[in-house]
Amino acid sequence: MTVQVSTVQEYFDGLTDDRRTALEAVRKRIRNIWPQSTEDMAHGMPTFHLDGHALCALASQKHFMAIYLMHYDLLLAFKNDLKVHDCGKSCIRFKQLDPQMMDLLDRVLKYCGSQ
């Protein structure tokens, strides 16, 4: 979904309730894991930065939601876990959040932010 907004709040305000709820849950998880991270809009997506470097971004696309990892090569550490998920070179796509997906995102975020 192409959204022309300038703030993270406008981005989330423009989402449907179900997508807002899901992406807000991921957003909260990122903030809990990396409370020192900062958030802004980059490339049309809410983007988190850690120690001055982009960590990840969240997106609501037409047919899925996604988390984009800025250091995509770090996803290789999770290649076995990601086999059963819809993934791109730098993203993990999902249509809904379930406990297994949240657990995976938790592990990926902790790993990627510590590298």
Side-chain angles (χ1 to χ4, degrees):
M1 148 171 136
T2 303
V3 178
Q4 301 298 323
V5 297
S6 58
T7 68
V8 173
Q9 189 59 50
E10 288 175 350
Y11 186 90
F12 279 93
D13 288 347
L15 299 174
T16 61
D17 289 342
D18 58 331
R19 287 185 177 227
R20 183 181 314 107
T21 299
L23 290 177
E24 283 282 1
V26 176
R27 184 182 187 200
K28 183 178 179 180
R29 182 66 56 104
I30 295 166
R31 287 181 173 167
N32 286 339
I33 295 169
W34 301 109
Q36 70 276 33
S37 66
T38 58
E39 184 181 24
D40 64 14
M41 290 296 292
H43 307 289
M45 299 179 286
T47 303
F48 289 86
H49 303 270
L50 190 60
D51 298 325
H53 302 282
L55 172 66
C56 64
L58 302 175
S60 176
Q61 304 293 347
K62 185 175 182 177
H63 298 290
F64 58 85
M65 294 168 282
I67 183 167
Y68 291 86
L69 282 296
M70 298 308 171
H71 298 285
Y72 65 87
D73 56 332
L74 296 177
L75 283 177
L76 293 174
F78 297 91
K79 67 180 181 180
N80 289 332
D81 294 314
L82 294 172
K83 284 180 182 179
V84 297
H85 296 284
D86 183 14
C87 299
K89 185 175 181 180
S90 68
C91 71
I92 302 170
R93 300 178 195 103
F94 53 94
K95 293 187 182 209
Q96 62 184 11
L97 285 179
D98 56 35
Q100 294 83 9
M101 177 59 74
M102 286 301 283
D103 177 63
L104 175 62
L105 293 179
D106 189 63
R107 290 184 290 123
V108 168
L109 288 164
K110 287 176 181 175
Y111 178 77
C112 290
S114 66
Q115 297 302 307

